Structure formats: structure tokens, C-alpha cells
Amino acid sequence: MTGSRNADSATANGGQCPLSRMAAEFDAFSGPYQVDPADALRWSRDQLPVFYSPRLGYWVVSRYDDIKAVFRDNILYSPSIALEKMTPAPPEAMEVLKSYGYQLNRTMVNEDEPAHMERRRVLMDHFLPENLEAKQEMVRRLTREKMDAFIDSGRVELVDAILYEVPLNVALHFLGVPEDEIETFRKFSVAHSVNTWGKPTDEQQIAVAHSVGQFWQYAGKIIERMKLEPDGTGWMHETIRKNAEMPDVVTDSYVHSMMMAIIVAAHETTSLASANMFKTLLTHRQAWEDICADPSLIPNAVEECLRFSGSIVAWRRKTTAAARLGDVDLPVGAKLLIVQASGNRDERHFEDGDRFDIYRDNAVDHLTFGYGSHQCMGKNIGRMEMRIFLEEFTRRLPHLQLAEQEFAYLPTTSFRGPEQVWVEWDPSGNPERNDPQIANTQKHFPVGPPSRRDIARKVRVVDIRSEADNIIGVSVEDAVGRDLPGWSAGAHIELCSDGYDRKYSLCGPADANGYDIAILREENGRGGSRHFHEALAKGMELRLRGPSNLFRLDETASHVVLLAGGIGITPIVAMADRLKQLGKTYHVHYCGRSRGSMAFVDRLEEDHGSCLTLHAGDEGKRADIKAIVEGLPDGGQIYVCGPDRLISAVEKWTADMPDGTFHFEHFTSNATGLDPDKENAFEIELKDSGLTLTVEADQTLLDTLLSAGIDLACDCREGLCGSCEVEVLEGEIDHRDMVLTRTERAGNRRMMSCCSRSMRGGKLKLAL
Ligand code: FES
């Protein structure tokens, strides 16, 4: 296997430097990776995000963006090896498998295009949110029955008592598969996991091969039984009917392979994820108590558990041509282990990524379900089950505790969850003993990703001060005295009070226990800043979302120019602090009407005096943008935050500079909201999902996609943050965002789904 890394540091598969040693010693089946895969790959995320592991024979990919890029391109990065045995079987085991006629072939997971999408399209309906709603009652009933059996016992092992069987029952019901042989499924599916993703010894390989062979034959028999019920309900019945209707698309081999693979996919991952979830939440007691007190936090707590400790740790792909990932050149045929658990903790995407934080407002961006056209079709079933588990447990057993125990995990590269989770509680404290109604006061969660509205932590205002004319500085801390999450320069939070939700950049200093922001009173704005100026008072409690960072500083730039206009100084001051801390060369240009209207001038002069130029208009010191841009050395970058005209000016003068030179953040949007009388409805075709949808005149593209079950991140919903971007393959875009540069708009390949539309109602084809 060959490949090259163009950076100055280590080559991945040779040499003696520490990084090469780490790569050479990487072991996915034992040691740190089995204890905590995200932590085991921290060094890789920081220094060598794509490396070759000679022990594994795979290239390991550890950063969020790289993993997403691999998932996104399922042509260059083929999923064909996703179900290949990690540890090749000895000839004797192969003989055993052969004796059972075992021929696991392509399934939804490891199918290449175009067959994959053709099948996915015809088999997708059962997974749509509107068709899953009706299943909630069944999941609730199963959960309650299991809980009733142990609620008065005071101690139980959760996996055995509920977390295995409920997902398995739900999976069988969803698939329409007979539910009479749960124990057989259990034995077989563990064997399938070990066979595919584990490292059995040669001796174990023989035993595993027998179980897998029997599972294969058993799956075949079930299909024959199901064929006798042509009107049967459930997804596998539908698959069998489609096999009869269109055998070229849904082939016999596919039906048999899928029957075996989906039983594992449909319940094992949810069981393991649920076990991880209880362990994580009961270990982070404050989070558990928060969701007991406010069940509306449950959907996001589930996403954060999936991010922090998901059941799918890594997945596999193979290059179909020479590829470049990050700064590594990969040869054709390179096998990749893409470690979602590592990407899920990547600080480049998740602020304070190692922290478990149920208030994290981009937790839903986790990669545990994969991404793109191969994203887990059953994600909303898993979410639904995990939410119902939590809702029932936090209401009926809020005093649940984790018992003393050692946790054991099955050693595989890809799945992770404790084999047992022992919990205990005092049954005399069960709330329903005093109030039997508690058992029935359940909360319903709609199927799909969590509602962003519910994700906000409580903070208290500890200081309000004047920073300049019409600008107040506000300091907040956690309402009950906990630490607030860490953040990086460029990050913002969203302050929520009395129906006003407004974003403000964090100004620092970054090591404070609380957050500092600055708010400019805008008389002609939408009312948020006026509200906060008038309503905020010391000691007041309010809600806060974030922090999130969509204006990240590239700390590797050779030189950085920071350019702020007016209140745009807020992220810039934090960036200047960070660059100084790193010992980087930088210069701050700060433009304003007059010194009196400019916040943080004293602090900037004190901390960054030699790297600061103030451009106060009333002193006749206007900034010469052209000269500032022309002064940028090779490899330098420029960050701008301020009014549109400032950003446009820099954009104009940097137009011919290399990509990645110019970064900007608007602090207000021009979005005026949808006026259905002036809008056209338009059609969209989703290439990966195979759907054609209509975006009505009173709907955004984002809302249309979300209601069709397509998960898409979104933060601001007003064209400011870039989180809802989609790739456009065909059609003309009417851009209405504040994110893309002029060149990017002209390229007609990217659009912000929260605000931009099609030009004159024409059809758009999207890479979704
Ligand atoms: Fe922020 Fe669309 S959600 S740009």
C-alpha cells in the first residue's frame, strides 16, 4: 500500500518519528481504542488525521470534515467493503460457511451505485417520519411492560431486562418478521457482529462460522415463510413484494442478504446505543437530573449521547480511484476505516467536543448515523426508541443510580456498547407510589431530529456595563453555578428572552467561567437589541443556546489580518487574544464612526497596542481597504466582521487571491422573510434520496427537506451561518444568503436552504 502526505511532517507508513510510531502501533482490537476510540485518536485528529495502519491494513480517518467528505462521495469512496470480514477467516472456517451455502452479498449498507439508490428509492416509504409516528404507541407499550416487570425490584441489569429485547421486538415488528424466536436472533446477531467486525481467534472462527451459517439458513427459511403471506405488513414483506414486482432492482440475493444484515442493523445498534446512553447520563448526574426536571430536553440529550458515546464507532470504505483526502494522497483500492467516534469529538466542528453537554445545539450533526446517501435509514426508529426509554425512566425512576460495576465491551472495530449496565434504586421512592397518575403522564415527541427551540441552558446575568455609546457589555454565568462549555475564538451564543432569540459573538477572555458579550442598541433593528438593552438586569435568569462556531480561525495561517467594523469587533477581539496567545503575527484594523462609539478600545490598546490600527471616522482616519488587502503577505488570511459594505469591499479586493484567504461574518441579515404572494413554488429532485418534492411558495427549501425526513443542520435560519448549505447539481439558484462570496454564487453549485430559492420557479436537482 502506498500513499503520500504532502505536509512537512511524518510519512504515515514509514520513518521513525513519533507520529509514524503512533500510526504503526495503532490497534483497533485492543488497548486504548477499545477503551475510548475518540480519545485513542486524539493525536491523529490533531496531527495526522489520515494515516495508514499497517496492523489493520486500513487508512484511518479521524477528523469530522474528512469523514463527512468520504461519506458524501459514495462513488470515489465505495461502501463495498462495509460488511467484509475485518479479520479474514482461516480456510477451515470458510469451509464451514460454504457448507451452509452462506453467500452474504450486497445489502443497503455495502451496495454501490446505481443499484443502491434504485433500491433505496423503492424501499424507503416505511422509514419516512409520517409513517413512523404510528409506531410510537407500540414502542411505548413494550417499554412499559418491561419496566413494570422490574420497577419494584430496586436493582436490574438494563441490557437484559429491556434494552435488548425492546429494540429487537420493535425491529421484528417493523420488518414484519415473526417474533417467536427472539433468543435465536440474539445468538445469531452477536455471531454476525463478531464475524464481520471482530477479531476472533482461529478456533473461535470455526464456532462463529457455524452460527453465521445457521443464521444464513434461518434467514432463508423466514423469507420462505413470509412469502406465504403476500399481504403481510412490515418492511421485509414490502421488500419481498418488490422482489416479485421488480426482480432486477430488488434481487433474490439482496432479499436474503438484507434479511440477515437488517436484523443486526435494526436492533443491535439501538440496543448498544441505549446502553451507552444510560451509562453516560447516569455518570453525568446533573444532565440526568436536568432531563428529569425538563423532559423537553430529552430529544437533544439522545443526540448528545449518540455524539458522545454512539454505538457505531467506525465504518468502512474503499477508494475506486486515486483520491486526495485532507493532505494525503490515497491510492486506488485503499481501504479506509472512518472513525465516526473520533469525528464526533472533533473540536473543529464541536465546541469543547470532549464535554458531554445535553444543551449542545449542534449535537444532531454527529456522524453516528453516517451521512449522505448511505445514512442509516432507521435513524428515526432508533431515536424514537431511545427517547421513549428516557422519557419513561426519568418519569418513573428519576432516582435511578448506576451500580458499582466494571463495564465489558465486545471487541470489534465498529460497534460499541457495554454488555451489561447494572442500575439500582430505592423502590419506596418510586414517584408513582405516591401519585399513580405519574405512570401515565407521558410526553410525546414528534419523529425526527430534535426541535432547536427546546435546546437552551439557563444562565444568570452577573454584570452589565457600558462599553461605548449605545453598547452594553453583558456577563453571564450558569444559573446553578456549573462551568459553562469552553469555546474557541469566533464562536457565538444565542440569547433567548421574551420571544427574542439573538446571536452575539463571545468576546472573551476565553478562560473566564462565564461568557462576555456586547450588544449594540439598534433603534431601527427588529427589536431584539432594544429589548435586551431595556430588559436585562443583574441577577436576571435567561436562556442561552450554544456556543457554536461558524467563523473559525485557521490557526495555521502564516499571518492574519483582522478587520472589524463597529460592533463587528466582538469576534475579532477574541481572535486577536487567541493569536497573541499562540504567538502568531497578526494585525487588527478597527473601523468606527468615532472612538466613543467603539467598544473595547482601551482593552485593545492595552493588549494588542503594537498590532492595532484604529480607524475612527471623526478623526479622519478611514481605512484604506485596498492597501490593507494588498499588504497581506503570501499565505496570509483576512477575517472581516462588520457591515455589508465593509465585507463587500474586502471581497472585491481579495477576489483574485487563493481560496481560503478571505473569511467573513455578517452580524445582521437582509432576509425579510417569505412573502408567499411574491414567491414561486418550485420542484426539487434529490439525487441521493430519489425523491421529488415541491417547495411551496410559503415554505423554505429547508422546511421542505426536514419534513421529508432529510436531516439537515440549521442554525440561524436567516442566511447568516452557512450550516444549512446544500450542493446543487442542476438548475439556477436565486441566492438570498449572506454567506457565499460573489464567486461562489456565480459558481451556482451551493445554496443556503433556509433562505435561497430557485430562479423563477425552475427545478433544482440537489446532491441529497
Ligand atoms: Fe444559517 Fe441557513 S440556517 S444559513
Side-chain angles (χ1 to χ4, degrees):
M1 185 73 59
T2 58
S4 66
R5 183 169 189 263
N6 290 352
D8 47 359
S9 57
T11 53
N13 50 355
Q16 293 303 312
C17 79
L19 293 182
S20 301
R21 239 189 350 264
M22 302 287 273
E25 286 168 8
F26 175 74
D27 184 350
F29 294 105
S30 64
Y33 183 86
Q34 283 298 322
V35 178
D36 181 346
D39 195 50
L41 285 170
R42 184 184 310 279
W43 67 272
S44 161
R45 286 196 297 283
D46 289 344
Q47 301 174 72
L48 200 60
V50 182
F51 69 90
Y52 183 69
S53 160
R55 285 190 180 187
L56 206 57
Y58 278 74
W59 291 83
V60 179
V61 184
S62 61
R63 275 191 191 165
Y64 185 92
D65 284 347
D66 291 337
I67 295 168
K68 209 163 168 180
V70 172
F71 274 129
R72 187 177 274 139
D73 191 342
N74 57 354
I75 306 292
L76 182 56
Y77 300 104
S78 158
S80 60
I81 59 165
L83 295 180
E84 209 172 72
K85 280 168 70 65
M86 278 308 288
T87 309
E92 301 88 310
M94 294 305 289
E95 279 306 312
V96 170
L97 286 171
K98 214 164 127 194
S99 71
Y100 288 96
Y102 175 74
Q103 287 178 348
L104 186 73
N105 208 323
R106 295 307 177 91
T107 72
M108 205 70 92
V109 169
N110 58 354
E111 185 74 272
D112 279 315
E113 303 305 342
H116 164 254
M117 276 321 300
E118 264 183 310
R119 281 180 196 155
R120 193 169 163 119
R121 263 177 225 136
V122 298
L123 296 171
M124 189 153 166
D125 273 9
H126 283 239
F127 292 94
L128 293 177
E130 66 260 32
N131 295 330
L132 292 177
E133 274 295 345
K135 311 277 181 210
Q136 296 230 32
E137 206 185 309
M138 179 253 307
V139 177
R140 179 81 66 176
R141 179 177 48 77
L142 289 170
T143 304
R144 294 181 62 84
E145 281 170 10
K146 289 289 176 194
M147 283 188 78
D148 289 345
F150 61 70
I151 196 156
D152 290 321
S153 70
R155 182 176 164 89
V156 77
E157 197 286 290
L158 286 176
V159 177
D160 214 38
I162 184 166
L163 302 182
Y164 197 88
E165 275 195 27
V166 171
L168 182 50
N169 270 306
V170 172
L172 296 181
H173 175 91
F174 177 80
L175 298 171
V177 170
E179 295 171 23
D180 47 4
E181 291 204 50
I182 282 207
E183 272 312 308
T184 321
F185 278 119
R186 187 170 186 159
K187 185 179 103 193
F188 286 159
S189 64
V190 169
H192 177 52
S193 296
V194 172
N195 184 50
T196 310
W197 296 282
K199 194 179 186 184
T201 61
D202 280 4
E203 212 168 275
Q204 288 165 336
Q205 292 259 26
I206 307 282
V208 165
H210 279 292
S211 289
V212 169
Q214 286 160 12
F215 191 5
W216 176 255
Q217 290 192 341
Y218 181 69
K221 279 193 201 126
I222 294 174
I223 293 167
E224 291 313 312
R225 260 171 82 186
M226 292 176 77
K227 281 183 179 168
L228 301 176
E229 290 176 62
D231 298 327
T233 55
W235 188 77
M236 270 317 290
H237 275 291
E238 178 69 5
T239 304
I240 290 167
R241 280 192 290 273
K242 294 287 183 199
N243 168 238
E245 265 172 48
M246 40 180 88
D248 294 345
V249 177
V250 182
T251 60
D252 290 349
S253 138
Y254 171 79
V255 174
H256 196 156
S257 300
M258 198 66 205
M259 175 59 105
M260 187 164 159
I262 196 140
I263 286 170
V264 178
H267 88 280
E268 188 91 25
T269 51
T270 307
S271 295
L272 295 173
S274 303
N276 285 331
M277 171 176 79
F278 278 97
K279 177 177 175 252
T280 305
L281 280 166
L282 292 171
T283 310
H284 297 82
R285 190 75 204 174
Q286 195 66 61
W288 175 265
E289 281 168 14
D290 284 5
I291 57 173
C292 290
D294 180 2
S296 67
L297 295 169
I298 286 175
N300 200 55
V302 167
E303 300 304 319
E304 177 64 354
C305 288
L306 287 166
R307 182 196 74 86
F308 188 81
S309 183
S311 54
I312 301 173
V313 171
W315 216 235
R316 286 178 286 164
R317 291 289 185 265
K318 185 177 182 175
T319 55
T320 55
R324 187 166 175 80
L325 187 59
D327 63 356
V328 171
D329 290 319
L330 299 170
V332 60
K335 290 181 172 186
L336 310 186
L337 185 74
I338 44 177
V339 187
Q340 291 124 292
S342 171
N344 284 345
R345 299 270 190 103
D346 190 344
E347 303 268 347
R348 293 153 199 82
H349 190 85
F350 296 104
E351 289 290 282
D352 207 356
D354 282 329
R355 180 184 171 115
F356 178 69
D357 179 11
I358 60 169
Y359 300 96
R360 183 183 297 282
D361 65 351
N362 67 345
V364 73
D365 289 356
H366 65 77
L367 296 165
T368 301
F369 293 133
Y371 181 81
S373 63
H374 276 268
Q375 192 181 46
C376 171
M377 292 210 299
K379 66 188 176 189
N380 284 325
I381 308 177
R383 278 175 171 148
M384 178 208 298
E385 291 179 60
M386 292 170 77
R387 289 172 185 180
I388 290 175
F389 284 155
L390 271 193
E391 206 273 332
E392 289 288 335
F393 271 83
T394 51
R395 183 162 37 80
R396 301 181 70 191
L397 291 175
H399 48 322
L400 197 72
Q401 305 269 357
L402 214 49
E404 279 280 314
Q405 66 203 292
E406 291 282 322
F407 292 99
Y409 295 81
L410 211 56
T412 83
T413 52
S414 300
F415 290 107
R416 183 172 169 81
E419 291 181 307
Q420 296 195 316
V421 180
W422 282 96
V423 289
E424 52 197 16
W425 65 98
D426 175 4
S428 68
N430 290 4
E432 59 204 60
R433 291 201 178 182
N434 289 329
D435 179 4
Q437 279 315 312
I438 282 179
N440 302 315
T441 51
Q442 62 210 35
K443 185 169 169 59
H444 174 88
F445 301 111
V447 172
S451 156
R452 208 170 165 271
R453 204 189 48 236
D454 296 327
I455 311 166
R457 71 185 85 240
K458 283 191 193 135
V459 294
R460 180 181 303 110
V461 177
V462 290
D463 187 35
I464 303 176
R465 59 205 166 268
S466 170
E467 293 285 5
D469 300 347
N470 284 324
I471 298 177
I472 51 170
V474 180
S475 302
V476 296
E477 63 181 25
D478 185 88
V480 289
R482 298 176 217 163
D483 285 347
L484 287 169
W487 55 279
S488 54
H492 67 268
I493 52 93
E494 189 169 20
L495 222 47
C496 318
S497 155
D498 290 337
Y500 293 99
D501 295 1
R502 294 292 185 271
K503 293 184 171 57
Y504 297 105
S505 295
L506 290 168
C507 315
D511 58 354
N513 292 331
Y515 294 153
D516 286 346
I517 57 172
I519 305 176
L520 168 69
R521 182 177 178 121
E522 291 176 279
E523 293 303 341
N524 299 321
R526 290 173 296 152
S529 67
R530 273 200 314 278
H531 168 79
F532 287 120
H533 267 250
E534 286 162 15
L536 289 186
K538 229 167 148 176
M540 180 180 174
E541 263 192 21
L542 65 166
R543 284 158 61 91
L544 178 147
R545 291 196 191 102
S548 307
N549 197 340
L550 299 160
F551 190 37
R552 282 183 189 276
L553 188 59
D554 177 354
E555 297 181 350
T556 64
S558 61
H559 178 83
V560 175
V561 168
L562 302 170
L563 178 49
I567 194 65
I569 191 63
T570 49
I572 296 293
V573 70
M575 288 179 165
D577 290 347
R578 176 65 181 161
L579 291 165
K580 182 177 178 185
Q581 185 192 36
L582 291 172
K584 292 279 184 179
T585 67
Y586 64 97
H587 197 93
V588 183
H589 292 273
Y590 181 11
C591 316
R593 270 193 337 273
S594 62
R595 275 181 186 250
S597 69
M598 295 162 74
F600 306 125
V601 169
D602 292 347
R603 184 183 146 194
L604 283 162
E605 284 184 328
E606 197 174 318
D607 294 344
H608 304 283
S610 59
C611 309
L612 173 71
T613 306
L614 293 178
H615 304 273
D618 67 343
E619 294 171 13
K621 295 181 185 160
R622 293 196 177 276
D624 180 346
I625 305 296
K626 181 168 180 269
I628 291 173
V629 171
E630 283 175 353
L632 205 61
D634 281 353
Q637 296 185 15
I638 182 161
Y639 291 74
V640 187
C641 185
D644 297 352
R645 63 178 185 284
L646 179 68
I647 291 173
S648 302
V650 181
E651 182 177 11
K652 177 176 157 197
W653 297 114
T654 52
D656 296 329
M657 292 185 160
D659 285 351
T661 302
F662 168 47
H663 309 261
F664 61 94
E665 185 172 68
H666 284 273
F667 49 77
T668 53
S669 163
N670 292 334
T672 49
L674 272 185
D675 178 350
D677 293 337
K678 295 187 183 144
E679 302 293 355
N680 290 311
F682 60 101
E683 239 184 32
I684 48 167
E685 184 186 332
L686 309 186
K687 178 180 162 278
D688 295 344
S689 327
L691 298 172
T692 298
L693 305 168
T694 301
V695 182
E696 301 294 351
D698 61 352
Q699 247 186 341
T700 64
L701 169 58
L702 175 67
D703 287 334
T704 309
L705 292 169
L706 291 176
S707 38
I710 310 288
D711 281 1
L712 209 59
C714 58
D715 184 358
C716 69
R717 285 179 173 261
E718 51 183 336
L720 281 171
C721 71
S723 61
C724 66
E725 179 179 321
V726 295
E727 187 185 341
V728 179
L729 302 171
E730 285 170 24
E732 215 182 325
I733 307 160
D734 176 4
H735 291 285
R736 302 182 186 181
D737 64 275
M738 310 284 284
V739 178
L740 298 176
T741 62
R742 224 180 315 205
T743 326
E744 287 163 340
R745 286 172 181 227
N748 200 54
R749 295 286 293 176
R750 305 161 59 187
M751 72 187 284
M752 300 307 136
S753 59
C754 66
C755 56
S756 298
R757 302 181 71 82
S758 85
M759 194 65 89
R760 294 178 290 278
K763 185 172 176 175
L764 295 177
K765 186 169 176 183
L766 308 178
L768 283 174

